[in-house]
Structures are given as C-alpha cells and as structure tokens.
Amino acid sequence: MSASIRRNDSTAKNYQTFILVGIPGTQEYDLWVAFPLCVLFVLTLLGNVVILLVIKAEKSLHQPMYIFLSILACSDLGLSMSTMPTILGVYWFDSKEISFNACITQMFFIHLFQWVESGILVAMAFDRFIAIRDPLRYTALLPNSVIGQIGIAVVFRGFCLIFPLPFLIKRLPFCRSNVLSHSYCLHPDAMKLACADIKVNVLYGLIIVICTLVLDAVVILVSYILILKMVLGIASHRERLKALDTCVSHICTILIFYVPMIGVSVVHRFGRHLSPIVHMLMANIYIAVPPVLNPIVYSVKTQQIRQRIRKIFQCRKVRT
C-alpha cells in the first residue's frame, strides 16, 4: 500500500517546468552580472555579423578558409541566440522558470551548435593541411561545391547525433527536483534530476562525446602533426614562419572552444568542493566567451578582414 502511495505521489509530482539559477548568494548583484553578459551578447552579435558581411563583400575572401569561418560565425550566432536571452532573463528580470518543452528545445540547439562548431574546426584543420601541402592547387582541390558539401555534412552529422536527445529526455519523469544547475538547459544537467533509470541517457551522451569531441580532437591533432612535419621540411626559415602564421588563428579558435569546455568538465567532475559561484562563472564563460572571441581573433590576425573593417568605419566617418 505504501509503495503504491509513493508511486502515486511521484506521478502527481512530475514537473512540467524547470527552474534556472543564477550565481547563488549574489541576487542583489544580479544586475551587475547582467550588464557584462549583455555587453558580451551585443559584441557577439556585432562581431560575427561584421565577419559575415566582410566575407560576403570582399571577393578576395571567397576562399575555403573564410567560407568555413563564415559557417563558424553562424554557429556562434546560433549558440549565443539560443542561450543568452535566457541567461539575461535570469539575471536581469529574475525570470527563472522555463517550460519543459522550451528547455528541451534550448538544449537541442545548444548541443547542435556545439557539435557543428566542433565539426567546422575539423574542416578548418583539413583546409590548413591542404593549403600548406599543396598551395598551388589549394582552390582547385577545395572548390565551393566541396566546401558546401562539407558544411552540409557537418550540420547533418550534428543534427543526426542530437535528434534522439529530446525524446530521451521527454520519456523521463521529473519528480525529485526541477532546479537546474545553470542559467540554461543542458542534457547532462537535466537528466540528473530524473527519478528514473538514466543509463540510456548516460550511454548515449557518452557515444555523442566520443563521436564528436574525442574523434574531432584526434583528427585535429593528427592534422597538425602532419602540418608541423610538412612545415619543418620547408627549407626557408621565412617560409616556415609564413606557413605557421596561417594556422595561428585556427589554433586560437581551437583553444577558445576546447579550454572552457574542458574547464567546465573538470570543475563538474572534480570540483564539487568548490564554491557554487565558481561553477556558475565557468558555465557562463563556457557559453558566452568563445562566440565573442572568435571574430576578434580573426579580425586581428587576418589582414584582409582587418582592412575591410577599417574601410567600413572610414566610410562612416566620411559620411558623418
């Protein structure tokens, strides 16, 4: 009798909303936290849109590397627009409640854009390998049709891997708690709240990580080992530096993508004794910082992009 009562209570208590959280114990400072996050969001939108417009307008940038960069910018925009409005709502308007379906939709797009970005970083590593190995046939080996196919394949891979995720979450009952650990919805965070067996979710999450992050990291590492081997085979010291310089932006983007992700994973796994503030700051850095840094890195390191941006601002000054 008591067991059936507990089952009935659990069924009756199946939550249909989740509660997002800000930085614990600092509610009076939420507006001060919201302001820099809002600035980062605006800079992300501005920076990535400018990159897209510059690549579209500058014919000399209609090359494989910059087409991949434009896909990366679209991915950063998608990730930012999927998360930042919710995060700002939590800190600015104390809007912490999110419906179950909205949460599932958000986690779908967050993970989709993450895996798309990971795939594009692999494509960019392959692009750098081709550019250094066979510079004279670079554009011939990577025509726009091939770039388009690679872009579609990366997005399709991400979609296929993430597609089962909403269904795996939706089948779970949530009767213990509905308070998430972050200001946005992630699959690992939500599944821990379920009052049912989550082995399938854990296993599928592990498969996704192996098929994306681990595999992509290995491919990127192998690509750069081959690139370094080719560069060391160049006789001229000046040509070596020139070849390596073309890879600097991509290496920075890889670090910007992987370091926060590894940092969040390490903090979650080994930093349980740390303050909740550390966990929340790492979670916000993981989502908010990479999309704003990528356009800055490429604007600083790519002369054509830098010159085009300068021209845009000079034209505006002349008009004013």
Side-chain angles (χ1 to χ4, degrees), residues 18 36 43 70 88 91 107 117-119 130 143 147 167 171 202-203 206 219 224 237 241 257 275 280 288 303 313-314:
F18 285 112
L43 289 175
S70 65
L88 290 173
Y91 288 105
M107 74 171 65
E117 183 155 344
S118 181
I130 296 293
I147 301 301
F167 301 101
R171 70 186 178 86
V202 172
L203 180 61
L206 182 62
V219 172
Y224 270 97
H237 179 70
L241 292 176
F257 178 76
S275 166
M280 190 53 62
Q303 188 178 0
F313 284 105
Q314 284 173 356

Side-chain angles (χ1 to χ4, degrees), residues 17-50:
T17 60
F18 285 112
I19 305 299
L20 304 170
V21 297
I23 299 176
T26 62
Q27 283 77 12
E28 65 273 20
Y29 302 112
D30 277 356
L31 285 175
W32 294 102
V33 175
F35 180 72
L37 286 173
C38 184
V39 171
L40 285 176
F41 184 43
V42 172
L43 289 175
T44 297
L45 296 179
L46 183 63
N48 285 287
V49 168
V50 167

